[in-house]
Coordinates of all heavy atoms in Angstrom, one line a residue:
M17 N 18.8 -5.9 0.4 CA 17.7 -5.1 0.1 C 17.9 -4.6 -1.4 O 16.9 -4.4 -2.1 CB 17.6 -3.9 1.1 CG 16.4 -3.1 0.8 SD 14.9 -3.9 1.2 CE 14.4 -3.1 2.7
D18 N 19.1 -4.3 -1.8 CA 19.4 -3.8 -3.1 C 18.9 -4.7 -4.2 O 18.4 -4.3 -5.2 CB 20.9 -3.6 -3.4 CG 21.4 -2.3 -2.7 OD1 20.7 -1.6 -2.0 OD2 22.6 -2.1 -2.9
S19 N 18.9 -6.0 -3.9 CA 18.5 -7.0 -5.0 C 17.0 -7.0 -5.1 O 16.4 -7.4 -6.1 CB 19.0 -8.4 -4.6 OG 18.4 -8.8 -3.4
W20 N 16.2 -6.5 -4.1 CA 14.8 -6.4 -4.2 C 14.3 -5.2 -4.9 O 13.4 -5.2 -5.7 CB 14.1 -6.5 -2.8 CG 14.2 -7.8 -2.2 CD1 14.4 -9.0 -2.8 CD2 13.9 -8.1 -0.8 NE1 14.3 -10.1 -1.9 CE2 14.0 -9.5 -0.7 CE3 13.6 -7.4 0.3 CZ2 13.8 -10.2 0.6 CZ3 13.4 -8.0 1.5 CH2 13.5 -9.4 1.6
I21 N 14.8 -4.0 -4.5 CA 14.2 -2.8 -5.0 C 15.2 -1.9 -5.7 O 14.9 -1.0 -6.4 CB 13.5 -2.0 -3.9 CG1 14.5 -1.7 -2.7 CG2 12.3 -2.7 -3.4 CD1 13.9 -0.8 -1.6
G22 N 16.5 -2.1 -5.4 CA 17.5 -1.3 -6.0 C 18.3 -0.5 -5.0 O 18.0 -0.4 -3.8
N23 N 19.4 0.1 -5.5 CA 20.3 0.9 -4.6 C 19.8 2.3 -4.6 O 19.5 2.9 -5.7 CB 21.7 0.9 -5.2 CG 22.7 1.7 -4.4 OD1 22.6 2.9 -4.4 ND2 23.5 1.0 -3.7
P24 N 19.6 2.9 -3.4 CA 19.0 4.2 -3.3 C 19.8 5.3 -4.0 O 19.3 6.4 -4.4 CB 18.8 4.5 -1.8 CG 19.5 3.4 -1.1 CD 19.8 2.3 -2.1
V25 N 21.1 5.1 -4.1 CA 21.9 6.1 -4.7 C 22.0 5.9 -6.2 O 21.7 6.7 -7.1 CB 23.3 6.2 -4.1 CG1 24.3 7.1 -4.9 CG2 23.2 6.6 -2.6
R26 N 22.5 4.7 -6.6 CA 22.7 4.3 -8.0 C 21.4 4.3 -8.8 O 21.3 4.7 -9.9 CB 23.3 2.9 -8.0 CG 23.7 2.5 -9.4 CD 24.3 1.0 -9.4 NE 23.3 0.1 -9.0 CZ 23.5 -0.7 -7.9 NH1 24.6 -0.7 -7.2 NH2 22.5 -1.5 -7.5
D27 N 20.3 3.9 -8.2 CA 19.0 3.7 -8.9 C 18.0 4.8 -8.5 O 16.8 4.6 -8.7 CB 18.4 2.3 -8.6 CG 19.4 1.2 -8.9 OD1 20.0 1.3 -10.0 OD2 19.5 0.2 -8.1
R28 N 18.5 5.9 -8.0 CA 17.6 7.0 -7.5 C 16.5 7.4 -8.5 O 15.3 7.5 -8.2 CB 18.4 8.2 -7.1 CG 17.6 9.3 -6.5 CD 18.5 10.5 -6.1 NE 17.8 11.4 -5.3 CZ 17.0 12.4 -5.9 NH1 16.9 12.5 -7.2 NH2 16.4 13.3 -5.1
D29 N 16.9 7.7 -9.8 CA 15.9 8.2 -10.8 C 14.9 7.1 -11.0 O 13.7 7.4 -11.1 CB 16.6 8.5 -12.1 CG 17.5 9.8 -11.9 OD1 17.3 10.6 -11.0 OD2 18.4 10.0 -12.8
R30 N 15.3 5.9 -11.2 CA 14.3 4.8 -11.4 C 13.4 4.6 -10.2 O 12.1 4.4 -10.4 CB 15.0 3.5 -11.7 CG 14.0 2.3 -12.0 CD 14.7 1.0 -12.3 NE 15.6 0.5 -11.3 CZ 15.2 -0.1 -10.1 NH1 13.9 -0.3 -9.9 NH2 16.0 -0.5 -9.2
L31 N 13.9 4.7 -9.0 CA 13.1 4.5 -7.8 C 12.1 5.6 -7.7 O 10.9 5.4 -7.3 CB 14.0 4.4 -6.6 CG 14.9 3.2 -6.5 CD1 15.8 3.3 -5.3 CD2 14.0 1.9 -6.4
I32 N 12.5 6.9 -8.0 CA 11.5 8.0 -8.0 C 10.4 7.8 -9.0 O 9.3 8.0 -8.7 CB 12.3 9.3 -8.2 CG1 13.1 9.6 -6.9 CG2 11.3 10.5 -8.5 CD1 14.0 10.8 -7.1
E33 N 10.8 7.4 -10.2 CA 9.9 7.1 -11.3 C 8.9 6.1 -10.9 O 7.7 6.2 -11.3 CB 10.6 6.7 -12.6 CG 9.7 6.5 -13.7 CD 10.4 6.1 -15.0 OE1 11.6 6.3 -15.1 OE2 9.7 5.5 -15.8
Q34 N 9.3 5.1 -10.2 CA 8.4 3.9 -9.8 C 7.6 4.1 -8.5 O 6.8 3.3 -8.2 CB 9.2 2.6 -9.8 CG 9.7 2.2 -11.1 CD 10.6 1.0 -11.0 OE1 11.1 0.6 -10.0 NE2 10.8 0.4 -12.2
S35 N 8.0 5.2 -7.8 CA 7.3 5.4 -6.5 C 5.9 5.9 -6.6 O 5.6 6.8 -7.4 CB 8.1 6.4 -5.7 OG 7.4 6.8 -4.5
P36 N 5.0 5.3 -5.9 CA 3.6 5.8 -5.9 C 3.5 7.3 -5.4 O 2.6 8.0 -5.9 CB 2.9 4.9 -4.9 CG 3.7 3.6 -4.9 CD 5.1 4.1 -5.1
M37 N 4.4 7.7 -4.6 CA 4.4 9.1 -4.1 C 4.6 10.1 -5.3 O 4.1 11.2 -5.2 CB 5.4 9.3 -3.0 CG 5.0 8.9 -1.7 SD 3.4 9.6 -1.1 CE 3.8 11.3 -0.9
T38 N 5.3 9.6 -6.3 CA 5.5 10.5 -7.5 C 4.2 10.8 -8.2 O 4.0 11.9 -8.8 CB 6.5 9.8 -8.4 OG1 7.7 9.6 -7.7 CG2 6.8 10.7 -9.7
Y39 N 3.2 9.9 -8.1 CA 2.0 10.1 -8.8 C 0.7 10.2 -8.0 O -0.4 10.2 -8.5 CB 1.8 8.8 -9.7 CG 3.0 8.6 -10.6 CD1 4.0 7.6 -10.2 CD2 3.2 9.3 -11.7 CE1 5.1 7.5 -11.0 CE2 4.3 9.2 -12.5 CZ 5.3 8.2 -12.2 OH 6.4 8.1 -12.9
F40 N 0.9 10.4 -6.6 CA -0.3 10.4 -5.8 C -1.2 11.6 -6.1 O -2.4 11.5 -5.9 CB 0.1 10.4 -4.3 CG 0.2 11.8 -3.7 CD1 -0.9 12.4 -3.1 CD2 1.4 12.5 -3.8 CE1 -0.8 13.7 -2.5 CE2 1.5 13.7 -3.2 CZ 0.4 14.3 -2.6
E41 N -0.7 12.6 -6.7 CA -1.6 13.8 -7.1 C -2.6 13.4 -8.2 O -3.6 14.0 -8.3 CB -0.7 14.9 -7.6 CG 0.1 15.6 -6.5 CD -0.8 16.5 -5.7 OE1 -1.9 16.9 -6.0 OE2 -0.3 16.9 -4.6
N42 N -2.3 12.3 -8.9 CA -3.2 11.8 -10.0 C -4.3 11.0 -9.5 O -5.2 10.7 -10.2 CB -2.4 11.0 -11.0 CG -1.3 11.9 -11.7 OD1 -1.5 13.1 -11.8 ND2 -0.3 11.2 -12.1
I43 N -4.2 10.5 -8.2 CA -5.3 9.7 -7.6 C -6.5 10.5 -7.3 O -6.4 11.5 -6.5 CB -4.8 8.9 -6.4 CG1 -3.6 8.0 -6.8 CG2 -5.9 8.1 -5.8 CD1 -2.9 7.4 -5.6
T44 N -7.6 10.2 -7.8 CA -8.9 11.0 -7.6 C -10.0 10.1 -7.0 O -11.0 10.6 -6.6 CB -9.3 11.7 -8.8 OG1 -9.6 10.7 -9.8 CG2 -8.3 12.6 -9.4
K45 N -9.8 8.8 -7.1 CA -10.9 7.9 -6.6 C -10.5 7.2 -5.3 O -9.3 7.2 -5.0 CB -11.1 6.8 -7.7 CG -11.4 7.3 -9.1 CD -12.7 8.0 -9.1 CE -13.1 8.4 -10.5 NZ -14.1 9.4 -10.6
P46 N -11.5 6.7 -4.6 CA -11.2 6.0 -3.3 C -10.1 4.9 -3.5 O -10.1 4.2 -4.6 CB -12.5 5.4 -2.9 CG -13.5 6.3 -3.6 CD -12.9 6.7 -4.9
L47 N -9.3 4.7 -2.5 CA -8.2 3.7 -2.6 C -8.2 2.8 -1.4 O -8.4 3.3 -0.3 CB -6.9 4.4 -2.8 CG -5.6 3.6 -3.0 CD1 -5.7 3.0 -4.4 CD2 -4.4 4.5 -3.0
L48 N -7.9 1.6 -1.6 CA -7.8 0.6 -0.5 C -6.3 0.2 -0.5 O -5.7 -0.2 -1.5 CB -8.6 -0.7 -0.8 CG -8.4 -1.9 0.2 CD1 -8.6 -1.5 1.6 CD2 -9.2 -3.1 -0.3
I49 N -5.7 0.4 0.7 CA -4.3 0.0 0.9 C -4.3 -1.1 2.0 O -4.8 -0.9 3.1 CB -3.4 1.2 1.3 CG1 -3.4 2.2 0.1 CG2 -2.0 0.7 1.6 CD1 -2.7 3.5 0.5
I50 N -3.7 -2.2 1.6 CA -3.5 -3.3 2.6 C -2.0 -3.5 2.8 O -1.3 -3.7 1.9 CB -4.2 -4.6 2.1 CG1 -5.7 -4.4 1.8 CG2 -3.9 -5.8 3.0 CD1 -6.4 -5.6 1.2
Q51 N -1.6 -3.4 4.1 CA -0.2 -3.4 4.4 C 0.2 -4.4 5.5 O -0.6 -4.6 6.5 CB 0.2 -2.0 4.9 CG 1.6 -1.8 5.5 CD 2.6 -1.9 4.4 OE1 2.4 -1.3 3.3 NE2 3.7 -2.6 4.6
G52 N 1.3 -5.1 5.3 CA 1.8 -5.9 6.3 C 2.9 -5.1 7.1 O 3.8 -4.6 6.4
A53 N 2.8 -5.1 8.4 CA 3.7 -4.3 9.2 C 5.2 -4.8 9.0 O 6.1 -4.0 9.2 CB 3.3 -4.3 10.6
N54 N 5.4 -6.0 8.7 CA 6.7 -6.6 8.6 C 7.2 -6.8 7.1 O 8.0 -7.6 6.8 CB 6.7 -8.0 9.3 CG 6.3 -7.9 10.7 OD1 6.7 -7.0 11.4 ND2 5.4 -8.8 11.1
D55 N 6.6 -6.0 6.2 CA 6.9 -6.1 4.8 C 8.3 -5.5 4.6 O 8.6 -4.4 4.8 CB 5.9 -5.3 4.0 CG 6.0 -5.5 2.5 OD1 7.1 -5.9 2.0 OD2 5.0 -5.4 1.8
P56 N 9.2 -6.4 4.0 CA 10.6 -5.9 3.8 C 10.7 -5.1 2.5 O 11.7 -4.4 2.3 CB 11.4 -7.2 3.7 CG 10.5 -8.2 3.2 CD 9.1 -7.8 3.8
R57 N 9.7 -5.1 1.6 CA 9.7 -4.4 0.4 C 9.0 -3.1 0.4 O 9.5 -2.1 -0.1 CB 9.1 -5.3 -0.7 CG 10.0 -6.5 -1.0 CD 9.4 -7.4 -2.1 NE 10.1 -8.7 -2.2 CZ 9.8 -9.8 -1.7 NH1 8.7 -9.9 -1.0 NH2 10.5 -10.9 -1.9
V58 N 7.8 -3.1 1.0 CA 7.0 -1.9 1.1 C 6.9 -1.6 2.6 O 6.2 -2.3 3.3 CB 5.6 -2.0 0.5 CG1 4.9 -0.7 0.6 CG2 5.7 -2.4 -1.0
K59 N 7.6 -0.6 3.1 CA 7.6 -0.3 4.5 C 6.3 0.3 5.0 O 5.7 1.0 4.2 CB 8.8 0.7 4.9 CG 10.1 0.2 4.6 CD 10.5 -1.0 5.4 CE 11.9 -1.5 5.2 NZ 12.1 -2.8 5.8
Q60 N 5.9 0.0 6.2 CA 4.6 0.6 6.7 C 4.6 2.1 6.6 O 3.6 2.7 6.2 CB 4.5 0.1 8.1 CG 3.2 0.6 8.8 CD 3.0 0.1 10.2 OE1 3.7 -0.8 10.6 NE2 2.2 0.8 11.0
S61 N 5.8 2.7 6.9 CA 5.8 4.2 6.8 C 5.6 4.7 5.4 O 5.0 5.8 5.3 CB 7.2 4.7 7.3 OG 8.2 4.2 6.5
E62 N 5.9 3.9 4.4 CA 5.6 4.4 3.0 C 4.1 4.3 2.7 O 3.6 5.2 2.1 CB 6.4 3.5 2.0 CG 7.9 3.7 2.1 CD 8.7 2.7 1.4 OE1 8.2 1.7 0.9 OE2 10.0 2.9 1.3
S63 N 3.5 3.3 3.2 CA 2.0 3.2 3.0 C 1.3 4.3 3.7 O 0.4 5.0 3.2 CB 1.5 1.8 3.4 OG 1.9 0.8 2.5
E64 N 1.8 4.6 4.9 CA 1.2 5.6 5.8 C 1.4 7.0 5.2 O 0.6 7.9 5.3 CB 1.7 5.5 7.2 CG 1.1 4.3 7.9 CD 1.6 4.0 9.2 OE1 2.5 4.7 9.7 OE2 1.1 3.0 9.9
Q65 N 2.5 7.2 4.5 CA 2.8 8.4 3.8 C 1.8 8.7 2.7 O 1.3 9.8 2.5 CB 4.2 8.4 3.2 CG 4.7 9.7 2.6 CD 6.1 9.5 2.1 OE1 6.6 8.5 1.7 NE2 6.8 10.7 2.0
I66 N 1.5 7.6 1.9 CA 0.4 7.7 0.8 C -0.9 8.0 1.5 O -1.7 8.8 1.0 CB 0.4 6.4 0.0 CG1 1.6 6.4 -0.9 CG2 -0.9 6.3 -0.8 CD1 1.5 7.2 -2.2
V67 N -1.2 7.3 2.5 CA -2.5 7.4 3.2 C -2.7 8.9 3.7 O -3.7 9.6 3.4 CB -2.7 6.5 4.4 CG1 -3.9 6.8 5.3 CG2 -2.8 5.0 3.9
A68 N -1.7 9.4 4.3 CA -1.7 10.8 4.8 C -1.8 11.8 3.6 O -2.6 12.8 3.7 CB -0.5 11.1 5.6
A69 N -1.1 11.6 2.6 CA -1.2 12.5 1.4 C -2.5 12.5 0.8 O -3.1 13.5 0.4 CB -0.1 12.1 0.4
L70 N -3.1 11.3 0.6 CA -4.5 11.2 0.1 C -5.5 11.8 1.0 O -6.4 12.6 0.5 CB -4.8 9.8 -0.3 CG -4.0 9.1 -1.4 CD1 -4.3 7.7 -1.5 CD2 -4.3 9.9 -2.7
R71 N -5.4 11.6 2.2 CA -6.4 12.2 3.2 C -6.3 13.7 3.2 O -7.3 14.4 3.4 CB -6.2 11.6 4.6 CG -6.7 10.1 4.6 CD -6.6 9.5 6.0 NE -7.2 8.2 6.0 CZ -6.9 7.2 6.8 NH1 -6.1 7.5 7.8 NH2 -7.5 6.0 6.8
S72 N -5.1 14.2 3.0 CA -4.9 15.7 3.0 C -5.6 16.3 1.8 O -5.9 17.5 1.8 CB -3.4 16.0 3.0 OG -2.8 15.8 1.7
K73 N -5.8 15.5 0.8 CA -6.5 15.9 -0.4 C -8.0 15.5 -0.4 O -8.7 15.7 -1.4 CB -5.9 15.3 -1.7 CG -4.6 15.8 -2.1 CD -4.0 15.1 -3.3 CE -5.1 14.9 -4.4 NZ -4.7 14.2 -5.6
N74 N -8.4 15.0 0.8 CA -9.8 14.5 1.0 C -10.2 13.4 0.0 O -11.4 13.3 -0.4 CB -10.8 15.7 0.9 CG -10.6 16.7 2.0 OD1 -10.5 16.2 3.2 ND2 -10.6 17.9 1.7
I75 N -9.2 12.6 -0.4 CA -9.5 11.4 -1.2 C -9.8 10.3 -0.2 O -8.9 10.0 0.7 CB -8.3 11.0 -2.1 CG1 -7.9 12.2 -3.0 CG2 -8.5 9.7 -2.8 CD1 -8.9 12.5 -4.1
P76 N -10.9 9.6 -0.3 CA -11.2 8.5 0.6 C -10.1 7.4 0.4 O -9.9 6.9 -0.7 CB -12.6 8.0 0.1 CG -13.2 9.2 -0.6 CD -12.0 9.9 -1.3
V77 N -9.6 7.0 1.5 CA -8.6 5.9 1.5 C -8.9 5.0 2.7 O -9.1 5.5 3.8 CB -7.1 6.4 1.6 CG1 -6.9 7.3 2.8 CG2 -6.1 5.3 1.5
D78 N -9.0 3.7 2.4 CA -9.2 2.7 3.4 C -7.9 2.0 3.7 O -7.3 1.4 2.7 CB -10.3 1.8 2.9 CG -11.0 1.0 4.0 OD1 -10.5 1.1 5.2 OD2 -12.0 0.4 3.8
Y79 N -7.4 2.0 4.9 CA -6.1 1.5 5.2 C -6.2 0.3 6.1 O -6.7 0.5 7.2 CB -5.2 2.6 5.8 CG -3.8 2.2 6.2 CD1 -3.0 1.5 5.3 CD2 -3.3 2.5 7.4 CE1 -1.7 1.2 5.7 CE2 -2.0 2.1 7.8 CZ -1.2 1.5 6.9 OH 0.1 1.1 7.3
L80 N -5.8 -0.8 5.7 CA -5.9 -2.0 6.5 C -4.4 -2.5 6.8 O -3.7 -2.9 5.9 CB -6.7 -3.1 5.8 CG -7.0 -4.4 6.5 CD1 -7.8 -4.2 7.8 CD2 -7.8 -5.3 5.5
L81 N -4.1 -2.6 8.1 CA -2.7 -3.0 8.5 C -2.8 -4.3 9.2 O -3.6 -4.5 10.1 CB -2.1 -1.9 9.4 CG -0.8 -2.2 10.0 CD1 0.3 -2.2 8.9 CD2 -0.4 -1.2 11.1
F82 N -1.9 -5.2 8.8 CA -1.8 -6.5 9.5 C -0.4 -6.5 10.2 O 0.6 -6.6 9.6 CB -1.8 -7.6 8.5 CG -3.2 -7.9 7.9 CD1 -3.6 -7.3 6.7 CD2 -4.1 -8.6 8.6 CE1 -4.9 -7.5 6.2 CE2 -5.4 -8.8 8.1 CZ -5.8 -8.3 6.9
P83 N -0.5 -6.4 11.5 CA 0.8 -6.3 12.3 C 1.6 -7.6 12.2 O 2.8 -7.5 12.5 CB 0.3 -6.0 13.7 CG -1.1 -6.0 13.7 CD -1.6 -6.3 12.4
D84 N 1.0 -8.7 11.9 CA 1.8 -10.0 11.9 C 2.0 -10.5 10.5 O 2.1 -11.7 10.3 CB 1.0 -11.0 12.7 CG -0.4 -11.2 12.3 OD1 -0.9 -10.4 11.5 OD2 -1.0 -12.1 12.8
E85 N 2.0 -9.7 9.4 CA 2.2 -10.1 8.1 C 3.4 -9.3 7.4 O 3.8 -8.3 7.9 CB 1.0 -9.9 7.2 CG -0.2 -10.9 7.6 CD 0.0 -12.3 7.2 OE1 1.1 -12.7 6.7 OE2 -0.9 -13.1 7.4
G86 N 3.9 -9.9 6.4 CA 4.9 -9.2 5.6 C 4.4 -8.8 4.2 O 3.3 -8.2 4.1
H87 N 5.1 -9.2 3.2 CA 4.7 -8.9 1.8 C 3.9 -10.1 1.3 O 4.4 -11.1 0.8 CB 6.0 -8.7 0.9 CG 5.7 -8.1 -0.4 ND1 5.5 -6.7 -0.5 CD2 5.5 -8.6 -1.6 CE1 5.3 -6.4 -1.8 NE2 5.3 -7.5 -2.5
G88 N 2.6 -10.0 1.5 CA 1.7 -11.2 1.2 C 1.2 -11.7 2.5 O 1.4 -11.2 3.6
F89 N 0.5 -12.8 2.4 CA -0.2 -13.4 3.6 C 0.4 -14.7 3.9 O 0.6 -15.6 3.0 CB -1.7 -13.6 3.4 CG -2.4 -12.3 3.2 CD1 -2.8 -11.8 2.0 CD2 -2.7 -11.5 4.4 CE1 -3.5 -10.6 1.9 CE2 -3.3 -10.3 4.2 CZ -3.7 -9.8 3.0
N90 N 0.7 -14.9 5.2 CA 1.1 -16.2 5.7 C 0.0 -16.9 6.5 O 0.0 -18.1 6.7 CB 2.4 -16.1 6.6 CG 3.6 -15.8 5.7 OD1 3.8 -16.4 4.7 ND2 4.4 -14.9 6.2
K91 N -0.9 -16.1 7.0 CA -1.9 -16.6 7.9 C -3.3 -16.5 7.1 O -3.7 -15.5 6.6 CB -2.0 -15.7 9.1 CG -0.7 -15.8 9.9 CD -0.8 -15.1 11.2 CE 0.4 -15.4 12.1 NZ 1.5 -14.5 11.9
K92 N -3.9 -17.7 7.1 CA -5.2 -17.8 6.3 C -6.2 -16.8 6.9 O -7.0 -16.2 6.2 CB -5.7 -19.2 6.4 CG -6.9 -19.5 5.6 CD -6.8 -19.1 4.1 CE -6.1 -20.2 3.3 NZ -6.0 -19.8 1.9
E93 N -6.3 -16.7 8.2 CA -7.3 -15.8 8.8 C -7.1 -14.4 8.3 O -8.1 -13.7 8.0 CB -7.1 -15.9 10.4 CG -8.1 -15.0 11.1 CD -7.9 -15.0 12.6 OE1 -7.5 -16.1 13.1 OE2 -8.3 -14.0 13.2
N94 N -5.9 -13.9 8.2 CA -5.6 -12.5 7.7 C -6.0 -12.4 6.3 O -6.5 -11.4 5.9 CB -4.1 -12.2 7.9 CG -3.8 -12.0 9.3 OD1 -4.6 -11.8 10.2 ND2 -2.5 -12.0 9.6
E95 N -5.7 -13.4 5.5 CA -6.1 -13.4 4.1 C -7.6 -13.3 3.9 O -8.1 -12.5 3.1 CB -5.5 -14.7 3.4 CG -5.7 -14.7 1.9 CD -5.1 -15.9 1.3 OE1 -5.0 -17.0 1.9 OE2 -4.6 -15.8 0.1
L96 N -8.3 -14.1 4.7 CA -9.8 -14.0 4.6 C -10.3 -12.7 5.1 O -11.2 -12.1 4.5 CB -10.4 -15.1 5.5 CG -10.2 -16.6 4.9 CD1 -10.7 -17.6 5.9 CD2 -10.8 -16.8 3.6
T97 N -9.7 -12.1 6.1 CA -10.1 -10.8 6.6 C -9.9 -9.7 5.5 O -10.7 -8.9 5.2 CB -9.3 -10.4 7.8 OG1 -9.6 -11.3 8.9 CG2 -9.6 -9.0 8.3
A98 N -8.7 -9.8 4.8 CA -8.4 -8.9 3.7 C -9.4 -9.0 2.6 O -9.8 -8.1 2.0 CB -7.0 -9.1 3.2
F99 N -9.7 -10.3 2.2 CA -10.7 -10.5 1.1 C -12.1 -9.9 1.5 O -12.7 -9.3 0.7 CB -10.8 -12.0 0.8 CG -9.6 -12.6 0.1 CD1 -9.4 -13.9 0.2 CD2 -8.8 -11.8 -0.7 CE1 -8.3 -14.5 -0.5 CE2 -7.7 -12.3 -1.3 CZ -7.4 -13.7 -1.2
K100 N -12.5 -10.2 2.7 CA -13.8 -9.6 3.1 C -13.8 -8.1 3.1 O -14.7 -7.5 2.7 CB -14.2 -10.1 4.5 CG -14.5 -11.6 4.6 CD -14.7 -12.1 6.0 CE -15.0 -13.6 6.0 NZ -15.1 -14.1 7.4
H101 N -12.7 -7.5 3.6 CA -12.6 -6.1 3.6 C -12.6 -5.5 2.2 O -13.2 -4.5 1.9 CB -11.3 -5.7 4.3 CG -11.2 -4.3 4.8 ND1 -11.7 -3.9 6.0 CD2 -10.8 -3.2 4.1 CE1 -11.6 -2.6 6.1 NE2 -11.0 -2.1 5.0
T102 N -11.9 -6.2 1.3 CA -11.9 -5.8 -0.1 C -13.2 -5.8 -0.7 O -13.6 -4.9 -1.4 CB -10.9 -6.7 -0.9 OG1 -9.6 -6.6 -0.3 CG2 -10.8 -6.3 -2.4
V103 N -14.0 -6.8 -0.4 CA -15.4 -6.9 -1.0 C -16.2 -5.7 -0.4 O -16.9 -5.1 -1.2 CB -16.0 -8.3 -0.6 CG1 -17.5 -8.2 -0.9 CG2 -15.3 -9.4 -1.4
R104 N -16.1 -5.5 0.9 CA -16.8 -4.3 1.5 C -16.4 -3.0 0.9 O -17.3 -2.2 0.5 CB -16.6 -4.3 3.0 CG -17.5 -5.2 3.8 CD -17.5 -4.9 5.3 NE -16.2 -4.9 5.9 CZ -15.6 -6.0 6.4 NH1 -16.2 -7.2 6.4 NH2 -14.4 -5.9 7.0
F105 N -15.1 -2.9 0.6 CA -14.6 -1.6 0.0 C -15.2 -1.5 -1.4 O -15.7 -0.4 -1.7 CB -13.1 -1.7 0.0 CG -12.5 -0.5 -0.8 CD1 -12.4 0.8 -0.2 CD2 -12.0 -0.7 -2.0 CE1 -11.9 1.8 -0.9 CE2 -11.5 0.4 -2.7 CZ -11.4 1.7 -2.2
L106 N -15.1 -2.5 -2.2 CA -15.6 -2.4 -3.5 C -17.1 -2.1 -3.6 O -17.6 -1.3 -4.4 CB -15.3 -3.7 -4.3 CG -13.8 -3.9 -4.6 CD1 -13.5 -5.3 -5.2 CD2 -13.2 -2.8 -5.5
K107 N -17.8 -2.8 -2.7 CA -19.3 -2.5 -2.6 C -19.6 -1.1 -2.3 O -20.5 -0.4 -2.8 CB -20.0 -3.4 -1.6 CG -20.2 -4.8 -2.1 CD -20.9 -5.6 -1.0 CE -21.2 -7.0 -1.5 NZ -22.0 -7.8 -0.5
S108 N -18.7 -0.5 -1.4 CA -19.0 0.9 -0.9 C -18.7 1.9 -2.0 O -19.3 3.0 -2.0 CB -18.1 1.2 0.3 OG -16.7 1.4 -0.1
I109 N -17.8 1.6 -3.0 CA -17.5 2.6 -4.0 C -18.5 2.5 -5.2 O -18.4 3.3 -6.0 CB -16.1 2.6 -4.4 CG1 -15.7 1.2 -5.0 CG2 -15.2 2.9 -3.2 CD1 -14.3 1.2 -5.6
V110 N -19.2 1.4 -5.3 CA -20.2 1.3 -6.4 C -21.6 1.6 -6.0 O -22.4 1.7 -6.9 CB -20.1 -0.1 -7.1 CG1 -18.7 -0.3 -7.7 CG2 -20.4 -1.2 -6.2
E111 N -21.9 1.7 -4.7 CA -23.2 1.9 -4.3 C -23.5 3.4 -4.2 O -22.7 4.2 -4.2 CB -23.5 1.3 -2.9 CG -23.4 -0.2 -2.9 CD -23.5 -0.8 -1.6 OE1 -23.4 -0.2 -0.5 OE2 -23.8 -2.0 -1.5

């Protein structure tokens, strides 16, 4: 895991600097988060933390979870679902 994201002790300052949670207060527009439940790089709990923080600020957030995906898509059906959802999301924020 260290080779992917860094060591939580040694690289603490860099990890905090790069964490979306460090900057979530700056988010003011609707956000779409697409998460694979089996993602080894971005844990589901981390995405849910952002979702909860944004919702607590009444920032619209659309959260799409794929229980059978990791970091990216392996299943074409899921990829198509995510693309369709993205189009709907984008249409909803410009209308």
